[in-house]
Amino acid sequence: MSGGKIIVVCGSTASGKTALTVDLAKRYDGEVVSADSVAIYKGLDVGSAKPTKEEMQGVKHYMFDVVSPFDEFSVSDYENAALPIVKDILSRGKLPIICGGTGFYINSVLYRMSYGNSKGNAEIRNKYEKIVAEKGNEEAYEILKKVDPATAEKLHPNDKMRVIRALEIFESSGVRKSDIKDEMTPRFDFIAIMPTYDRETLYNRINKRVDRMFENGLEEEVRGLLKSGLTLGNQSMQGIGYKETAEAILNGSEMPLDIIKLNTRHYAKRQITFFKRFQNLFTVDNLDAESFEKICKIADNFLKN
């Protein structure tokens, strides 16, 4: 493990991670590295709930708006972009705080991982990309469920790249991705903080957040993205909120707020399940002044020892 300490703020969507991270950064002279698979895209602002300049409160933030929405962006791409930033923050004597809900992104920085590091096979990959293009993400996902149900259970059908990667590994090697033991060697000393709420409170927060996105212009943002030439085939348009809104626009139907709320609640459950397995995890109920002081005591102990 290399020198340097990192704090991770993780958890479900709408759990207050952004505001907590800014408060911690101000208290501990930190800089924030976003780990959000939608916020990396330029122009996807409202639906990803990127913090405004005012919300950042002068704290330096990284990994927003780093890639064109026309481009694909993998976990490996995130690692290659974010890891040097974390190391640079440490080299300047500041505290890196990784904030986000995309667990694979966070793991790629915290650990040296193989992610089933078998050789790629372009022919197999192209075959499944063609299947997805012609029949949709669900088709490839159903194939994966048959050959490697354990991996399929961990992935969302719209997680096209990892679904195809798992199929590529299986077809090229005969080995299931779920049978490959990814090495997880920590790069840094870290703790993870996860804000938690009872289910009703969290679901209310999610519902209000979706309402706020439409009040802030999500439909107009998606119309602009479609007008620019993006389609549902682009990875950037697969994010919750963007996909459903784009489909409604293209079909001439009503905005699907209830569907987005439902899909976001399902996603939040998957995020919580993922992060509960994190090492060095501290959960804190209901973010308020009292819980913030509890978090700071945890952080003080971690940073001093």
Side-chain angles (χ1 to χ4, degrees):
M1 189 188 300
S2 64
K5 297 193 175 204
I6 292 177
I7 290 179
V8 175
V9 178
C10 60
S12 73
T13 186
S15 61
K17 298 186 297 292
T18 299
L20 171 59
T21 302
V22 168
D23 289 341
L24 289 172
K26 291 169 66 178
R27 182 140 175 169
Y28 295 106
D29 193 20
E31 296 182 357
V32 178
V33 182
S34 170
D36 185 301
S37 60
V38 180
I40 54 160
Y41 287 108
K42 299 172 184 175
L44 276 69
D45 303 326
V46 178
S48 65
K50 287 176 191 168
T52 63
K53 189 174 181 181
E54 291 73 26
E55 288 169 334
M56 291 182 184
Q57 297 184 46
V59 173
K60 184 72 175 175
H61 283 66
Y62 302 89
M63 294 304 293
F64 290 128
D65 303 322
V66 297
V67 63
S68 163
F70 290 92
D71 295 337
E72 297 210 346
F73 196 80
S74 68
V75 173
S76 178
D77 292 328
Y78 179 84
E79 177 185 357
N80 291 337
L83 186 57
I85 292 170
V86 170
K87 290 180 176 178
D88 175 66
I89 295 169
L90 286 168
S91 74
R92 290 184 280 109
K94 293 182 176 288
L95 175 68
I97 305 177
I98 301 177
C99 173
T102 305
F104 289 108
Y105 278 12
I106 298 172
N107 275 344
S108 75
V109 172
L110 296 180
Y111 302 99
R112 295 180 181 88
M113 296 184 68
S114 68
Y115 282 107
N117 199 17
S118 64
K119 290 183 179 179
N121 186 306
E123 184 179 348
I124 295 171
R125 186 164 60 252
N126 290 338
K127 179 181 81 171
Y128 285 110
E129 285 175 350
K130 186 177 180 182
I131 288 173
V132 166
E134 293 177 354
K135 299 182 179 180
N137 295 336
E138 284 284 353
E139 185 75 14
Y141 185 73
E142 287 300 319
I143 297 171
L144 181 61
K145 279 172 67 176
K146 292 175 183 175
V147 300
D148 188 354
T151 295
E153 190 177 334
K154 296 178 181 178
L155 299 177
H156 190 277
N158 290 336
D159 196 351
K160 181 180 71 174
M161 285 193 303
R162 281 195 283 271
V163 169
I164 290 176
R165 176 60 177 154
L167 287 166
E168 183 186 350
I169 290 170
F170 177 76
E171 193 162 323
S172 62
S173 66
V175 178
R176 296 183 183 91
K177 169 72 175 69
S178 56
D179 292 332
I180 298 172
K181 302 302 180 187
D182 291 321
E183 293 182 8
M184 293 184 68
T185 306
R187 288 189 171 108
F188 307 101
D189 191 8
F190 71 91
I191 57 169
I193 308 293
M194 183 168 78
T196 59
Y197 303 86
D198 64 77
R199 181 173 293 185
E200 183 180 358
T201 301
L202 177 60
Y203 285 5
N204 285 336
R205 290 174 67 94
I206 288 170
N207 293 342
K208 288 178 182 177
R209 177 171 172 166
V210 173
D211 288 335
R212 197 159 53 243
M213 285 177 177
F214 278 91
E215 291 166 5
N216 292 340
L218 178 59
E219 180 182 349
E220 292 76 12
E221 181 173 90
V222 174
R223 287 187 183 278
L225 293 168
L226 292 172
K227 191 174 181 180
S228 75
L230 288 167
T231 72
L232 286 169
N234 292 105
Q235 180 185 333
S236 61
M237 298 300 284
Q238 293 299 308
I240 296 173
Y242 287 97
K243 183 175 186 288
E244 298 88 348
T245 302
E247 287 174 343
I249 291 170
L250 294 171
N251 295 331
S253 54
E254 289 186 18
M255 288 298 109
L257 272 75
D258 288 342
I259 294 173
I260 294 172
K261 289 173 183 177
L262 177 64
N263 290 344
T264 305
R265 294 196 297 267
H266 288 165
Y267 178 54
K269 285 197 282 188
R270 293 196 301 274
Q271 287 176 301
I272 292 167
T273 298
F274 186 99
F275 288 119
K276 277 184 176 178
R277 300 194 298 262
F278 254 40
Q279 292 179 316
N280 312 326
L281 177 69
F282 296 87
T283 58
V284 181
D285 295 334
N286 302 318
L287 286 180
D288 54 26
E290 183 179 340
S291 61
F292 181 67
E293 288 308 312
K294 177 182 176 183
I295 291 168
C296 289
K297 287 180 181 178
I298 293 168
D300 287 342
N301 185 58
F302 167 67
L303 294 170
K304 288 175 182 175
N305 294 325

